[in-house]
Each structure stands twice: as C-alpha cells, then as structure tokens.
Short mmCIF file of all heavy atoms in Angstrom, two decimals:
data_model
loop_
_atom_site.label_atom_id
_atom_site.label_comp_id
_atom_site.label_asym_id
_atom_site.label_seq_id
_atom_site.Cartn_x
_atom_site.Cartn_y
_atom_site.Cartn_z
N SER A 800 0.84 -1.19 0.00
CA SER A 800 0.00 0.00 0.00
C SER A 800 0.88 1.24 0.00
O SER A 800 2.11 1.15 0.05
CB SER A 800 -0.91 0.00 1.24
OG SER A 800 -0.12 0.08 2.40
N VAL A 801 0.25 2.40 -0.01
CA VAL A 801 1.00 3.66 0.01
C VAL A 801 1.74 3.78 1.34
O VAL A 801 2.90 4.19 1.38
CB VAL A 801 0.06 4.86 -0.20
CG1 VAL A 801 0.81 6.16 -0.07
CG2 VAL A 801 -0.60 4.76 -1.57
N ALA A 802 1.08 3.40 2.44
CA ALA A 802 1.70 3.50 3.76
C ALA A 802 2.82 2.48 3.93
O ALA A 802 3.86 2.79 4.52
CB ALA A 802 0.65 3.30 4.85
N GLU A 803 2.63 1.27 3.43
CA GLU A 803 3.63 0.21 3.54
C GLU A 803 3.88 -0.39 2.16
O GLU A 803 3.28 -1.40 1.79
CB GLU A 803 3.16 -0.88 4.50
CG GLU A 803 3.04 -0.42 5.92
CD GLU A 803 2.58 -1.55 6.83
OE1 GLU A 803 2.75 -2.73 6.46
OE2 GLU A 803 2.04 -1.24 7.90
N PRO A 804 4.77 0.21 1.37
CA PRO A 804 5.02 -0.31 0.02
C PRO A 804 5.70 -1.67 0.07
O PRO A 804 6.41 -2.00 1.02
CB PRO A 804 5.93 0.74 -0.61
CG PRO A 804 6.53 1.47 0.52
CD PRO A 804 5.56 1.39 1.66
N GLY A 805 5.46 -2.48 -0.96
CA GLY A 805 6.04 -3.81 -1.03
C GLY A 805 7.52 -3.78 -1.35
O GLY A 805 8.07 -2.75 -1.75
N VAL A 806 8.19 -4.90 -1.15
CA VAL A 806 9.61 -5.02 -1.46
C VAL A 806 9.78 -6.09 -2.53
O VAL A 806 9.00 -7.03 -2.63
CB VAL A 806 10.44 -5.38 -0.21
CG1 VAL A 806 10.40 -4.26 0.80
CG2 VAL A 806 9.95 -6.66 0.43
N ARG A 807 10.80 -5.94 -3.34
CA ARG A 807 11.13 -6.88 -4.42
C ARG A 807 9.94 -7.14 -5.34
O ARG A 807 9.63 -8.28 -5.69
CB ARG A 807 11.64 -8.18 -3.83
CG ARG A 807 12.94 -8.00 -3.08
CD ARG A 807 13.57 -9.35 -2.77
NE ARG A 807 14.83 -9.14 -2.12
CZ ARG A 807 15.10 -9.52 -0.87
NH1 ARG A 807 14.18 -10.11 -0.16
NH2 ARG A 807 16.27 -9.31 -0.35
N ILE A 808 9.27 -6.07 -5.74
CA ILE A 808 8.07 -6.18 -6.57
C ILE A 808 8.42 -6.74 -7.95
O ILE A 808 7.70 -7.58 -8.48
CB ILE A 808 7.37 -4.81 -6.68
CG1 ILE A 808 6.90 -4.39 -5.30
CG2 ILE A 808 6.20 -4.87 -7.64
CD1 ILE A 808 6.44 -2.96 -5.23
N ARG A 809 9.51 -6.30 -8.52
CA ARG A 809 9.90 -6.76 -9.85
C ARG A 809 10.19 -8.27 -9.86
O ARG A 809 9.77 -8.99 -10.76
CB ARG A 809 11.13 -5.99 -10.33
CG ARG A 809 11.49 -6.27 -11.76
CD ARG A 809 12.56 -5.32 -12.19
NE ARG A 809 11.97 -3.99 -12.33
CZ ARG A 809 11.92 -3.34 -13.48
NH1 ARG A 809 12.44 -3.86 -14.54
NH2 ARG A 809 11.37 -2.16 -13.56
N GLN A 810 10.89 -8.76 -8.83
CA GLN A 810 11.18 -10.19 -8.75
C GLN A 810 9.90 -10.99 -8.58
O GLN A 810 9.72 -12.05 -9.17
CB GLN A 810 12.13 -10.49 -7.58
CG GLN A 810 13.53 -9.98 -7.78
CD GLN A 810 13.71 -8.57 -7.22
OE1 GLN A 810 12.76 -7.84 -7.05
NE2 GLN A 810 14.95 -8.20 -6.96
N LYS A 811 8.99 -10.48 -7.74
CA LYS A 811 7.73 -11.18 -7.49
C LYS A 811 6.89 -11.24 -8.77
O LYS A 811 6.28 -12.26 -9.06
CB LYS A 811 6.96 -10.48 -6.37
CG LYS A 811 5.60 -11.05 -6.07
CD LYS A 811 5.64 -12.44 -5.49
CE LYS A 811 4.24 -12.84 -5.09
NZ LYS A 811 4.09 -14.26 -4.94
N SER A 812 6.87 -10.17 -9.54
CA SER A 812 6.08 -10.18 -10.77
C SER A 812 6.67 -11.17 -11.77
O SER A 812 5.94 -11.85 -12.50
CB SER A 812 5.99 -8.79 -11.38
OG SER A 812 7.24 -8.36 -11.85
N GLY A 813 8.00 -11.29 -11.81
CA GLY A 813 8.63 -12.28 -12.68
C GLY A 813 8.29 -13.70 -12.26
O GLY A 813 8.03 -14.58 -13.08
N LEU A 814 8.29 -13.95 -10.95
CA LEU A 814 7.93 -15.26 -10.42
C LEU A 814 6.47 -15.58 -10.75
O LEU A 814 6.15 -16.70 -11.17
CB LEU A 814 8.15 -15.30 -8.91
CG LEU A 814 7.72 -16.57 -8.20
CD1 LEU A 814 8.56 -17.75 -8.66
CD2 LEU A 814 7.82 -16.39 -6.70
N ASN A 815 5.58 -14.61 -10.57
CA ASN A 815 4.17 -14.80 -10.89
C ASN A 815 3.98 -15.17 -12.35
O ASN A 815 3.22 -16.07 -12.69
CB ASN A 815 3.36 -13.54 -10.58
CG ASN A 815 3.23 -13.29 -9.10
OD1 ASN A 815 3.54 -14.14 -8.29
ND2 ASN A 815 2.78 -12.11 -8.75
N ARG A 816 4.68 -14.47 -13.23
CA ARG A 816 4.59 -14.74 -14.66
C ARG A 816 5.05 -16.16 -14.97
O ARG A 816 4.44 -16.89 -15.73
CB ARG A 816 5.42 -13.71 -15.42
CG ARG A 816 4.92 -13.41 -16.78
CD ARG A 816 5.59 -12.23 -17.48
NE ARG A 816 6.84 -11.73 -16.98
CZ ARG A 816 6.97 -10.66 -16.19
NH1 ARG A 816 5.90 -9.97 -15.81
NH2 ARG A 816 8.15 -10.25 -15.79
N ALA A 817 6.14 -16.59 -14.33
CA ALA A 817 6.67 -17.94 -14.58
C ALA A 817 5.71 -19.01 -14.08
O ALA A 817 5.51 -20.04 -14.73
CB ALA A 817 8.02 -18.09 -13.89
N ILE A 818 5.09 -18.79 -12.92
CA ILE A 818 4.14 -19.76 -12.37
C ILE A 818 2.92 -19.89 -13.26
O ILE A 818 2.47 -21.00 -13.58
CB ILE A 818 3.72 -19.36 -10.94
CG1 ILE A 818 4.89 -19.55 -9.97
CG2 ILE A 818 2.52 -20.17 -10.47
CD1 ILE A 818 4.64 -18.98 -8.59
N LEU A 819 2.38 -18.76 -13.69
CA LEU A 819 1.15 -18.77 -14.49
C LEU A 819 1.39 -19.23 -15.92
O LEU A 819 0.46 -19.63 -16.62
CB LEU A 819 0.50 -17.39 -14.47
CG LEU A 819 0.00 -16.95 -13.09
CD1 LEU A 819 -0.47 -15.50 -13.14
CD2 LEU A 819 -1.10 -17.85 -12.60
N ASP A 820 2.65 -19.21 -16.37
CA ASP A 820 3.00 -19.60 -17.73
C ASP A 820 3.13 -21.11 -17.93
O ASP A 820 3.19 -21.57 -19.06
CB ASP A 820 4.33 -18.98 -18.12
CG ASP A 820 4.18 -17.86 -19.12
OD1 ASP A 820 3.04 -17.58 -19.49
OD2 ASP A 820 5.20 -17.28 -19.50
N LYS A 821 3.18 -21.87 -16.89
CA LYS A 821 3.55 -23.27 -16.98
C LYS A 821 2.54 -24.17 -17.68
O LYS A 821 2.89 -25.22 -18.15
CB LYS A 821 3.85 -23.85 -15.59
CG LYS A 821 5.10 -23.27 -15.00
CD LYS A 821 6.27 -23.51 -15.92
CE LYS A 821 7.50 -22.78 -15.46
NZ LYS A 821 8.43 -22.50 -16.49
N GLY A 822 1.30 -23.80 -17.75
CA GLY A 822 0.32 -24.63 -18.43
C GLY A 822 -0.06 -25.85 -17.62
O GLY A 822 0.26 -26.98 -17.98
N TRP A 823 -0.70 -25.63 -16.50
CA TRP A 823 -1.05 -26.71 -15.58
C TRP A 823 -2.05 -27.69 -16.20
O TRP A 823 -2.05 -28.87 -15.85
CB TRP A 823 -1.59 -26.14 -14.27
CG TRP A 823 -0.54 -25.34 -13.58
CD1 TRP A 823 -0.50 -23.98 -13.45
CD2 TRP A 823 0.65 -25.82 -12.95
NE1 TRP A 823 0.63 -23.61 -12.78
CE2 TRP A 823 1.36 -24.71 -12.46
CE3 TRP A 823 1.18 -27.09 -12.76
CZ2 TRP A 823 2.56 -24.83 -11.79
CZ3 TRP A 823 2.39 -27.21 -12.09
CH2 TRP A 823 3.06 -26.09 -11.61
N HIS A 824 -2.87 -27.23 -17.14
CA HIS A 824 -3.82 -28.13 -17.78
C HIS A 824 -3.08 -29.19 -18.60
O HIS A 824 -3.43 -30.38 -18.56
CB HIS A 824 -4.79 -27.36 -18.66
CG HIS A 824 -5.80 -28.22 -19.34
ND1 HIS A 824 -6.81 -28.86 -18.65
CD2 HIS A 824 -5.94 -28.59 -20.63
CE1 HIS A 824 -7.52 -29.58 -19.49
NE2 HIS A 824 -7.02 -29.42 -20.70
N SER A 825 -2.05 -28.79 -19.30
CA SER A 825 -1.25 -29.75 -20.09
C SER A 825 -0.57 -30.76 -19.18
O SER A 825 -0.48 -31.94 -19.50
CB SER A 825 -0.20 -29.01 -20.91
OG SER A 825 -0.81 -28.14 -21.81
N PHE A 826 -0.10 -30.29 -18.03
CA PHE A 826 0.52 -31.19 -17.06
C PHE A 826 -0.48 -32.22 -16.55
O PHE A 826 -0.18 -33.41 -16.46
CB PHE A 826 1.10 -30.38 -15.89
CG PHE A 826 1.69 -31.23 -14.80
CD1 PHE A 826 2.87 -31.92 -15.02
CD2 PHE A 826 1.08 -31.34 -13.58
CE1 PHE A 826 3.43 -32.71 -14.03
CE2 PHE A 826 1.61 -32.11 -12.58
CZ PHE A 826 2.80 -32.80 -12.80
N GLU A 827 -1.70 -31.76 -16.24
CA GLU A 827 -2.74 -32.69 -15.78
C GLU A 827 -3.07 -33.72 -16.85
O GLU A 827 -3.23 -34.90 -16.56
CB GLU A 827 -4.00 -31.92 -15.38
CG GLU A 827 -5.09 -32.83 -14.86
CD GLU A 827 -6.39 -32.12 -14.56
OE1 GLU A 827 -6.44 -30.88 -14.63
OE2 GLU A 827 -7.37 -32.82 -14.28
N LEU A 828 -3.16 -33.29 -18.11
CA LEU A 828 -3.43 -34.23 -19.20
C LEU A 828 -2.33 -35.28 -19.33
O LEU A 828 -2.61 -36.47 -19.54
CB LEU A 828 -3.60 -33.48 -20.51
CG LEU A 828 -4.87 -32.64 -20.66
CD1 LEU A 828 -4.85 -31.89 -21.99
CD2 LEU A 828 -6.10 -33.50 -20.54
N ALA A 829 -1.07 -34.85 -19.18
CA ALA A 829 0.04 -35.79 -19.27
C ALA A 829 -0.01 -36.81 -18.13
O ALA A 829 0.22 -38.00 -18.34
CB ALA A 829 1.36 -35.03 -19.26
N VAL A 830 -0.32 -36.34 -16.92
CA VAL A 830 -0.41 -37.25 -15.78
C VAL A 830 -1.55 -38.23 -15.97
O VAL A 830 -1.42 -39.43 -15.71
CB VAL A 830 -0.58 -36.45 -14.47
CG1 VAL A 830 -0.97 -37.35 -13.31
CG2 VAL A 830 0.69 -35.69 -14.15
N ARG A 831 -2.70 -37.74 -16.45
CA ARG A 831 -3.85 -38.63 -16.67
C ARG A 831 -3.53 -39.67 -17.76
O ARG A 831 -3.95 -40.82 -17.66
CB ARG A 831 -5.07 -37.82 -17.06
CG ARG A 831 -5.68 -37.09 -15.89
CD ARG A 831 -7.00 -36.45 -16.26
NE ARG A 831 -7.53 -35.72 -15.14
CZ ARG A 831 -8.20 -36.28 -14.12
NH1 ARG A 831 -8.42 -37.57 -14.12
NH2 ARG A 831 -8.65 -35.53 -13.13
N ASN A 832 -2.79 -39.28 -18.78
CA ASN A 832 -2.42 -40.20 -19.84
C ASN A 832 -1.50 -41.30 -19.31
O ASN A 832 -1.70 -42.48 -19.61
CB ASN A 832 -1.75 -39.45 -20.99
CG ASN A 832 -1.54 -40.32 -22.20
OD1 ASN A 832 -2.35 -41.19 -22.49
ND2 ASN A 832 -0.44 -40.09 -22.89
N CYS A 833 -0.51 -40.93 -18.51
CA CYS A 833 0.38 -41.93 -17.90
C CYS A 833 -0.39 -42.84 -16.96
O CYS A 833 -0.15 -44.05 -16.92
CB CYS A 833 1.52 -41.24 -17.15
SG CYS A 833 2.71 -40.45 -18.23
N ALA A 834 -1.31 -42.27 -16.20
CA ALA A 834 -2.10 -43.07 -15.26
C ALA A 834 -3.01 -44.05 -16.00
O ALA A 834 -3.21 -45.18 -15.55
CB ALA A 834 -2.93 -42.15 -14.37
N ARG A 835 -3.54 -43.62 -17.12
CA ARG A 835 -4.41 -44.50 -17.91
C ARG A 835 -3.64 -45.71 -18.41
O ARG A 835 -4.14 -46.83 -18.38
CB ARG A 835 -4.98 -43.70 -19.09
CG ARG A 835 -5.93 -44.49 -19.97
CD ARG A 835 -6.45 -43.66 -21.13
NE ARG A 835 -5.42 -42.99 -21.88
CZ ARG A 835 -4.69 -43.55 -22.85
NH1 ARG A 835 -4.89 -44.80 -23.18
NH2 ARG A 835 -3.77 -42.87 -23.49
N ARG A 836 -2.40 -45.49 -18.82
CA ARG A 836 -1.59 -46.60 -19.32
C ARG A 836 -1.19 -47.57 -18.22
O ARG A 836 -1.02 -48.76 -18.47
CB ARG A 836 -0.34 -46.06 -20.01
CG ARG A 836 -0.64 -45.59 -21.41
CD ARG A 836 0.62 -45.33 -22.18
NE ARG A 836 0.80 -43.89 -22.23
CZ ARG A 836 1.96 -43.28 -22.15
NH1 ARG A 836 3.06 -43.96 -22.01
NH2 ARG A 836 2.03 -41.98 -22.20
N THR A 837 -1.01 -47.08 -17.01
CA THR A 837 -0.58 -47.96 -15.91
C THR A 837 -1.73 -48.47 -15.06
O THR A 837 -1.51 -49.28 -14.17
CB THR A 837 0.41 -47.22 -15.00
OG1 THR A 837 -0.23 -46.08 -14.44
CG2 THR A 837 1.65 -46.81 -15.77
N GLY A 838 -2.95 -47.96 -15.29
CA GLY A 838 -4.10 -48.39 -14.52
C GLY A 838 -4.26 -47.66 -13.19
O GLY A 838 -5.04 -48.06 -12.35
N ALA A 839 -3.52 -46.57 -13.01
CA ALA A 839 -3.61 -45.79 -11.77
C ALA A 839 -4.81 -44.85 -11.83
O ALA A 839 -5.38 -44.61 -12.89
CB ALA A 839 -2.34 -44.97 -11.57
N THR A 840 -5.20 -44.32 -10.69
CA THR A 840 -6.33 -43.40 -10.59
C THR A 840 -5.80 -42.00 -10.26
O THR A 840 -4.96 -41.85 -9.39
CB THR A 840 -7.30 -43.83 -9.49
OG1 THR A 840 -7.73 -45.16 -9.77
CG2 THR A 840 -8.51 -42.92 -9.43
#
C-alpha cells in the first residue's frame, strides 16, 4: 500500500509470470495419460 510499500516487486512479478505460464492443464493431461496406461487413478 502507500503507507507500507512492497519489497522486491519486480522479482515477485517475474515469479508470478513464470508460475502462471507453466500450463497446468497440459501437465494434468500428461499425468492422466500416464495413469491411464498404468491403470492408476
């Protein structure tokens, strides 16, 4: 906030971008595909 500004904002925004860029849906599909082949749930 204005009274208490954040620290390392640029680094945090880069980390946020990297986390959100990973494509978690594709990861879930890959895990489900491997599980289907091995019979796991």
Side-chain angles (χ1 to χ4, degrees):
S800 63
V801 175
E803 294 181 22
V806 294
R807 296 192 177 115
I808 297 169
R809 187 171 288 243
Q810 290 91 339
K811 176 67 174 161
S812 68
L814 176 65
N815 290 348
R816 209 170 16 261
I818 290 171
L819 295 173
D820 252 0
K821 292 303 172 204
W823 297 108
H824 181 69
S825 298
F826 177 70
E827 182 185 353
L828 290 177
V830 168
R831 286 188 182 279
N832 189 34
C833 289
R835 181 181 50 83
R836 280 192 257 143
T837 61
T840 303

